[in-house]
Structures are given as structure tokens and as C-alpha cells.
Amino acid sequence: MPAWLSIFARFCSCGRRGPAVYPAAQENAPVTLLLLGLDGSGKSTVLERLRKEKLKESIAPTWGFVAVTLKPPSPKLPPVRVFDVGGHDRIRGIWANYYAETHGIVFVVDGTDVARFAEARKVLHAAFDDARAAGKPLLLLINKRDKQGYQGRAATLAALGVRDVAGTAPTAKPSSSTDLAAHVFEISATHAAQNGQAIDAGLQIGFHHFLQQIGYDRAALDPRIAADTAAQRKAYEVELEQRRSRISVMREEKEKEKVAAAAAQDPDTAKTGMVGEGAHGGKAPHASS
Ligand SMILES: Nc1nc2c(ncn2[C@@H]2O[C@H](COP(=O)(O)OP(=O)(O)OP(=O)(O)O)[C@@H](O)[C@H]2O)c(=O)[nH]1
Ligand SMILES: [Mg+2]
């Protein structure tokens, strides 16, 4: 049996007897995943692969985010909604907007980019410092294993400060910012195309395995997501209301300044408190001087 197939057999429940990972009621409820990683690590390429799209000649950096819903990868798994967000440091600020609604984070690291391992470690751990992400399942994809300079699993995990739990029980201890446990898979998002395969075996196995893991955790994740998204919506509404009232106060102040400025020039305006169009409506008509 090829090595990749034996790994697959280890994780895949296909053909195995036993309870379905996802209870029937949850099978159709989409799972939301968030794709994170530094710019250029290969997130959008991974997503293209998962969509089973033909890879584009060149792929543009993501500015903002892209939301895609994938078909269930197997009849026992739910559809998956993926948010692919830009990894450039100038747009990383938006990542936190998606933590509340996400069931799991897929972090893509360029396994050849040693110079940026420290930066990748920093942003990965910072994401799990956020209470809305802490403890959620993490799939770490070490990408570009086809490329010269690929560092391999052990070196990358040591550099990122991540512990691999992919082979352990489904109830593995969840991640926190200090103890980052991940389901780790080495992949090449581009390589499969060269082999004429639909998708890299590591990516296929890792993704499938991760969805199963989320299935085990879902009973705990769903209520947490509902509470966090409701709290986030409430905070947003409060912020919006505060912004509206700040704008209204600013407008009133501007109006008062206008009245004061006009009054300085024309004392009658001060009596009506009106300037601009119709401002003279309440004024006594000017004497025919
Ligand atoms: N050799 C090799 N190149 C890859 C692989 N995956 C992605 N790339 C290349 O890496 C570059 C960046 O890929 P993207 O998918 O745009 O990276 P990204 O993480 O989405 O970047 P941002 O959108 O800027 O955050 C592209 O030129 C890809 O073709 C891989 O497995 N191997
Ligand atoms: Mg991208």
C-alpha cells in the first residue's frame, strides 16, 4: 500500500462500521472554515484546489476576502463555507472579524520560506490569543513541499511552535495560544496539476480528516459560535449607533458654528437661529432702504 494511502486509511472512516461522524441533523448545516497564513503562503491556491478548479496561470494576491461554498467532500460530510482572507500585513486586521463564526482555522505556511517562519509563528499564535478563536480546531498545511528548500515537518513545527495531533484521538486537547495543537499535513497545492491528479493527496486526506475532527467537536462548537456571533453582532450594532450619534453631534456642532458665524455678520440670524437656505424666513422684512 502506498504511504499516502496508509495514512488515508488511518484517518478515513470510509467503509468503517460505527456511528457517522456527523449526526444526521447536522449533515446539511455548513461548516465554516477560515484560511489564514502569510501573503504568498498559498491559501488561494489551496482553495482553488479544494474547489477542484483548474489552477490559473498566475494567481493574484487576495485583498480583502473571498467566500466560497464547497460541495460536501463525501456524503457523510457537510458543505463547507471557506473564507479566504488576504495575508498581507496591511490587511491582516480583518482576520479577527471571522473568528466568531468559524468552526476551524486552516493555517497555510510556506514550508520553504524560512526567513518568514518567525512572522508566521507570530500571526498564528496571535490568532489563537483571540478568545473567539482559542481552542478551535486547527489544520496546519505545510505547503510547497515540491519546492527546493522545503524544510520538512519537524523543522517547520519547531519554528512555528506547534504540536501535531493529527494521529491522536479525536478528543485531543484543543489549541490555546500557549499550547498550539494542530492537525498537520504536508502538501503541495500546485504539484498535483503536474501529475495530472485532481488534488494533492496530503491536502485531500488532511481536509477530510479535519472535517471529521470538526464533526466530533461540533456539538461544542455550534453553541459557542451562536453566542460569539450574537455578541459580535450586538457589539457592531452598538458601535454603529455610537458612530451615528457622534456624526449627529458633529453635525449639530457644525450647524451651531454656522449660526454663530452668520450671527457675527448679521445679528438678525442669531434671533432666528437659522442660516443658509430659508434662513431669512423668520426675519422681519428689510426696510426698503
Ligand atoms: N511551488 C509551489 N508554489 C506554490 C504552491 N502553492 C502556491 N504556490 C505559489 O505561491 C504563490 C502565492 O500563492 P497564493 O495562493 O496567491 O498565496 P496566498 O496565501 O493566497 O497569498 P495572499 O492572497 O497574498 O495572502 C503563487 O505564485 C502560487 O502559484 C506550491 O505548493 N508549490
Ligand atoms: Mg490569496
Side-chain angles (χ1 to χ4, degrees), residues 85-104:
V85 289
H88 194 279
D89 65 348
R90 273 190 284 157
I91 41 172
R92 278 177 216 153
I94 67 166
W95 289 9
N97 296 340
Y98 302 93
Y99 296 157
E101 62 190 300
T102 200
H103 287 88

Side-chain angles (χ1 to χ4, degrees), residues 39-40 42-45 59-63 66 84-87:
D39 45 306
K43 299 179 294 299
S44 302
T45 313
I59 191 151
T62 311
W63 283 99
V66 173
D84 171 22
V85 289

